[in-house]
Amino acid sequence: MIDANTIAKVRAGLQTPRRMLIGEQWVEAADGSRLETKDPADESVLTTFPNGGVEDIDRAVKTAREAFERGPWRDMTPAARARLIWKLGDLIDANADELAVLETFDNGKPIGVSRNLDVPFAAERMRYNAGWATKLTGETVPLSLPFEAVAYTTYEPVGVVGHIIAWNAPLASAVAKLAPSLAAGCTMVLKPAEDTPLTALRLGELIEQAGFPAGVVNIVTGTGEVAGAALAAHPDVDKISFTGSTEVGKMLVRAAAGNLKRLTLELGGKSPVIVLPDADLDKAIPAIANGIFFCTGQVCTAGSRLFAHGKVFDDVIAGVADIARSMKIGPGIDPETTLGPLVNGKQLQRVTGYIRSGQEDGAKVAVGGNPVDRSGHFVEPTILTNTRPDMAVRREEIFGPVLCAQSFSDEELDELAAQANDTTYGLAANIYTSNLSAAHKLARRIRAGTVKINGGGLDQGVPAGGFKQSGWGREYGRDGVEIYTEKKSVIATL
Ligand code: NAD
């Protein structure tokens, strides 16, 4: 529980307009323009921050390039880099309450989630990746050449990285990108989402406090259309690492063509949840509810398409609906809240628009279905039944607390994987059953980057990413560091 004094102090601190970080300076946008960030729980302006543009991105990229080519960063030993990254993790822990309050004000998520999940995850992500700095070993290669030679491989930092992130887990996403790219030895420009810049900017202060050389991490705030697009198109950026929508991901692919930038894309999802008739419903029902209502459904891996066997369908719907009805809807800063607001008005329009379109297409509302009549961007946790595969609510990512359900029969069991795969996305899938053989058979046939059997979480060591239009590449684990490297082969005649 975070005490009222800390909350009041953070709120008072928001009186100070923010600046962005280029090199060792906290600066305004070159043209002096600013944006507002608002509290999604009541639409009040929290503070303002620079509306960075093309010139600012160019300056930040030049600074990152200078730090990469000539700064002390490239000459530091991996162990020295690891110590700095670890220290940043400890500083995140030391400032956990403040970061959690900032995150909840800016994004709207329940304070318990910010404090007990997002912030500890961010600190742990730093420490996990600190370990990789000293362990990115290459290999020696047995040669079959007609002369005596030796060959080995090394991992080198890819160079200057542009990180562009979404608003749904602002601190966790920023750290998810920074930690492994720092471990790999890159320098970078981070562009946070325009709805939620606050924790990324606070992180910038902690990066300075930890003692990272100037220019290694630069943070430019601004819109996607201007600052994001300028970073994506910049000819001196070696790689873009992106978390966001599939639509923008495709724009980045086009923008990368100019200098053949490397790309990692963590995009949208429409993840299936399969409940077989032998599932342990006491465990499955709360997990299914959490899978779609957690953070108001604004989670890329949200389990949004439910396929429950006819024998258990009614029980599953009734159980998840009971949980939906019991959720306490309110501002995230209230510790009692279990369902916070959506991040902005556009997102509220989008979610309620999908619920309406589902009903027009013949879906039935089992619970919820309406915006909440209060200020802020609140919507009820919702279940739509009688959904069909051709409906927009079943095909498109809603990014809200809306579960689209259908039942299946014994005769359709063979078709289940095909139905689960009937989407352009392939980020995650969930299977609930007591029959592990059936679970693993299904897991094999489902085209998704992560398959969870009877639940599962996000672990620093387990690679995550998307099949199909859910992305390119994998974050987390060793893969998550290698994406920030180039592999070099050295071969020498002896
Ligand atoms: P978005 O694509 O609109 O924006 C994401 C980021 O891209 C923001 O920083 C934005 O400013 C920037 N951006 C927007 N237009 C741009 C452009 N033309 N050029 C460069 N940058 C641009 O996504 P969003 O609405 O902020 O986030 C929701 C989406 O993110 C959902 O689709 C969700 O599934 C996805 N997401 C994916 C993951 C994952 O790991 N796969 C995690 C979280 C969110």
Side-chain angles (χ1 to χ4, degrees), residues 256-291:
N259 65 334
L260 286 185
K261 280 181 193 69
R262 280 68 179 127
L263 277 179
T264 297
L265 303 174
E266 293 290 340
L267 308 176
K270 190 76 183 172
S271 300
V273 181
I274 296 174
V275 188
L276 297 183
D278 55 10
D280 178 347
L281 295 190
D282 289 343
K283 290 186 181 149
I285 286 169
I288 294 166
N290 189 52

Side-chain angles (χ1 to χ4, degrees), residues 7 39 45 87 249 413:
I7 296 172
D39 183 342
V45 175
K87 191 167 170 191
L413 262 172

